[in-house]
Amino acid sequence: MVICLWKSPVVLYSSEYEWSEGMNDTDLWQTVLGEIELSTSRASFLTWFKNTILLSRDSKLLIIGVPNVFIKQQLETKFNELINETLKKNGIRPERIEYKIHAAPVKPYVNEPGESEALFSAPGESVAENQTQRNILAHTYRQGLNERYTFDNFVVGSGNELAYAACQAVAAQIGTKYNPLFLYGGVGIGKTHLIQAVGNAVLARDKKARVVYISSEQFLQEFVDALRFKKNTDFAGYYRSTDVLIVDDIQFIANGVKVQEEFFHTFNALHQAGKQIIISSDKPPKDIPGLEERLRSRFVWGMTIDMQNPDFETRCAILQSKAAEHDVDLQPDVTEYLSNNVQTNIRELEGALNQLLAFCEMREIEPSVEIASGLLGSIKTRPKHLSARQVIERTARHYQIPYSDIVGPKRDKDIVVPRQVAMYILRSELHMSFPKIARELGRKDHTTAIHSVEKIERESALDTDIRTAISSIKERLYA
Ligand code: ADP
Ligand code: MG
């Protein structure tokens, strides 16, 4: 019996897809990232790998571009082995890997839903070679069930308890209880984790169960490919023969008319056969723009559950549990601090924790509120031990200019940039008012401070030197 985790895309294409020296570096790196994503948590992947790029390679040296010094250190110390192994699996064996800070904006590594739509809405167009290549790639690195997402490591609390209970009920008795199960809510609050946990639980009980997890973008992409390569029947047959079909982020399916029709038939076939359908979305069915009425009405046949960002206590418990996974016992004040200051969603909370743990591990120090606040950047309670003078002195020292120059009247570029950086750090780290920032730097007019902070904000998005300078100054300030 086949375990249908995947539609075996790798098997389908691997023979065509041996990496050679001539292979495009972008494609190679996309594949490597796709594999790394499966072996790390999503938060960790997003924190450390998302904005990396393969800059160059030859038989000796492979250079990876990273956005800042912090990520560089982290990849060097903690992930070098993983990267090396993953490269090896793809036939690349450099003698050495180097990490280099790189400013160019990096294309996100997942296919954008918009791209799929463009492909879909132009079926008559001749297909460029590289586009076909990209579609094959879309298969080889798409995301499957990740074993790390289980019920055991999901912390239950306000905001997610109903969803958790429903998912457990479905996992215990597929196809009968809530069908479809539809979870919706904002980003990073655990939807993917929970729906994958159902798949993992079903497979843990019955290895032969045909569980398929797919994002609706991938579904759309595969559908387009199936039409193009005239494999419509394979495609339809495959999805209609699953025991549990998990479709993540269904909102993207509304991008295509024909794919909605296809999904409608898949849905009906599965539902009639008593197979389980699990769907997630960022919005309830009634609010998904472009979603066909017949799908909308079917999506609410079973159970529709709204997931919310968990409350303070649950966030603390999540942090404790994630820290324990890293063998770290987080002090309650640190947990509370993070939980209070990263309220957006769990993915960001986990990202903040990862950064804190990595920072402390590298320096062999205990995580503390001071360090956490320094790393978070925008915090409500300003670090009491830091004065404006310390920030300005540290900045001047970084740029090797005298303190008297940075607060003095000179307007040379060599002085102006450090002065602006100091203003930016006073604002972002100490949350000082603009008039006060201007005074500290010897400026009369507070609009100078406003312009400077805005300028550095803008430039640090593009300019690696500035970004590196800021993170290096901050690191020393909080060291
Ligand atoms: P979504 O799909 O809603 O955008 P994810 O499922 O990807 O969010 O969750 C983001 C991250 O937060 C994942 O690493 C996930 O493991 C973690 N997470 C979210 N909620 C919880 C929870 N209640 N317990 C443990 N981890 C959680
Ligand atoms: Mg998700």
Side-chain angles (χ1 to χ4, degrees):
M1 198 60 161
V2 196
I3 306 166
C4 244
L5 261 181
W6 287 91
K7 191 187 176 181
S8 317
V10 181
V11 178
L12 264 176
Y13 293 107
S14 61
S15 59
E16 303 168 34
Y17 219 64
E18 286 277 286
W19 294 108
S20 71
E21 283 303 311
M23 191 55 76
N24 175 334
D25 283 358
T26 317
D27 294 348
L28 166 64
W29 193 238
Q30 300 299 298
T31 303
V32 169
L33 288 182
E35 288 175 23
I36 288 176
E37 185 177 7
L38 290 180
S39 50
T40 55
S41 76
R42 187 156 174 80
S44 162
F45 178 80
L46 291 177
T47 314
W48 307 118
F49 290 95
K50 196 183 74 178
N51 290 319
T52 57
I53 184 171
L54 178 52
L55 289 177
S56 71
R57 72 184 162 102
D58 55 33
S59 58
K60 288 206 166 63
L61 178 66
L62 185 139
I63 302 179
I64 296 167
V66 299
N68 60 49
V69 64
F70 190 55
I71 292 180
K72 175 174 183 288
Q73 287 172 339
Q74 188 66 10
L75 293 185
E76 276 166 356
T77 53
K78 283 194 80 175
F79 293 105
N80 197 51
E81 188 61 31
L82 173 66
I83 294 171
N84 209 358
E85 284 302 310
T86 316
L87 282 165
K88 248 196 232 162
K89 271 199 239 156
N90 287 283
I92 305 294
R93 293 183 174 76
E95 284 171 20
R96 208 154 46 87
I97 301 179
E98 241 177 47
Y99 302 88
K100 209 169 161 183
I101 293 162
H102 180 73
V106 179
K107 222 179 127 225
Y109 100 106
V110 272
N111 278 355
E112 297 295 336
E115 287 180 28
S116 309
E117 183 190 14
L119 278 175
F120 187 72
S121 53
E125 273 177 21
S126 69
V127 183
E129 189 56 33
N130 62 347
Q131 210 155 59
T132 311
Q133 191 67 292
R134 202 192 60 199
N135 293 338
I136 292 170
L137 272 169
H139 283 84
T140 58
Y141 64 75
R142 71 181 201 181
Q143 191 183 359
L145 269 188
N146 186 332
E147 287 174 5
R148 303 172 64 94
Y149 294 131
T150 63
F151 286 126
D152 286 346
N153 63 9
F154 189 85
V155 178
V156 188
S158 78
N160 64 31
E161 56 202 348
L162 204 59
Y164 178 83
C167 282
Q168 282 225 313
V170 164
Q173 224 181 344
I174 55 173
T176 49
K177 194 96 186 184
Y178 308 122
N179 206 11
L181 175 62
F182 191 105
L183 300 187
Y184 70 89
V187 293
I189 57 170
K191 300 185 298 294
T192 297
H193 187 135
L194 264 188
I195 60 180
Q196 290 220 11
V198 178
N200 283 320
V202 170
L203 278 173
R205 203 180 48 235
D206 175 9
K207 284 204 182 74
K208 294 173 188 153
R210 298 177 174 216
V211 179
V212 171
Y213 165 89
I214 191 166
S215 79
S216 77
E217 293 158 86
Q218 288 162 340
F219 188 85
L220 174 59
Q221 185 76 55
E222 286 200 358
F223 177 62
V224 172
D225 290 349
L227 288 185
R228 180 169 305 137
F229 301 123
K230 310 242 173 326
K231 290 188 174 167
N232 317 18
T233 44
D234 290 3
F235 174 85
Y238 172 70
Y239 285 103
R240 290 175 203 180
S241 65
T242 55
D243 298 321
V244 181
L245 178 62
I246 306 171
V247 186
D248 208 353
D249 291 320
I250 194 80
Q251 68 270 15
F252 297 126
I253 213 170
N255 283 335
V257 176
K258 285 211 160 161
V259 73
Q260 292 199 59
E261 187 179 335
E262 176 59 35
F263 190 70
F264 174 75
H265 294 304
T266 306
F267 185 103
N268 288 342
L270 290 176
H271 201 270
Q272 276 159 22
K275 306 297 186 184
Q276 181 69 45
I277 302 153
I278 304 172
I279 300 171
S280 87
S281 168
D282 63 343
K283 301 177 196 69
K286 68 175 173 37
D287 294 338
I288 301 175
L291 186 67
E292 279 185 15
E293 190 45 46
R294 55 185 182 170
L295 279 179
R296 198 187 308 276
S297 64
R298 272 165 181 75
F299 287 170
V300 297
W301 273 357
M303 174 82 137
T304 308
I305 296 176
D306 174 10
M307 279 182 81
Q308 306 273 351
N309 194 20
D311 63 3
F312 174 77
E313 277 79 21
T314 313
R315 291 200 300 274
C316 288
I318 292 173
L319 283 167
Q320 293 287 0
S321 130
K322 302 271 175 196
E325 283 176 17
H326 290 88
D327 289 328
V328 174
D329 192 12
L330 216 53
Q331 292 305 309
D333 60 338
V334 180
T335 319
E336 283 163 22
Y337 178 83
L338 287 176
S339 175
N340 253 326
N341 285 282
V342 187
Q343 300 200 1
T344 38
N345 62 54
I346 305 302
R347 185 174 300 142
E348 294 203 356
L349 189 64
E350 204 179 335
L353 174 71
N354 283 345
Q355 295 217 17
L356 174 67
L357 296 185
F359 186 93
C360 293
E361 192 184 309
M362 252 176 325
R363 289 160 184 76
E364 297 186 350
I365 49 178
E366 289 289 306
S368 69
V369 170
E370 281 73 27
I371 299 168
S373 73
L375 287 173
L376 278 188
S378 66
I379 35 145
K380 289 179 197 118
T381 47
R382 110 180 21 159
K384 291 183 190 64
H385 64 288
L386 272 189
S387 68
R389 187 172 174 110
Q390 279 172 305
V391 171
I392 300 167
E393 266 174 3
R394 178 49 68 194
T395 311
R397 203 171 318 156
H398 176 89
Y399 285 102
Q400 303 184 326
I401 57 171
Y403 181 84
S404 54
D405 276 355
I406 199 170
V407 298
K410 283 193 188 161
R411 303 187 54 87
D412 321 20
K413 187 159 188 263
D414 291 349
I415 309 290
V416 170
V417 172
R419 189 179 289 144
Q420 290 171 335
V421 167
M423 291 187 180
Y424 169 83
I425 297 177
L426 288 177
R427 181 73 186 173
S428 63
E429 298 302 300
L430 269 60
H431 305 280
M432 286 173 63
S433 70
F434 288 117
K436 186 140 197 309
I437 292 174
R439 272 202 304 283
E440 291 288 350
L441 271 304
R443 282 25 255 169
K444 288 194 198 76
D445 187 356
H446 77 281
T447 57
T448 313
I450 297 178
H451 290 313
S452 300
V453 171
E454 284 177 352
K455 177 168 172 279
I456 297 299
E457 244 159 26
R458 246 190 342 265
E459 285 186 359
S460 62
L462 305 167
D463 185 335
T464 338
D465 288 346
I466 291 204
R467 245 193 344 257
T468 314
I470 294 169
S471 50
S472 147
I473 295 166
K474 280 202 315 205
E475 269 193 56
R476 282 174 181 279
L477 279 172
Y478 294 109

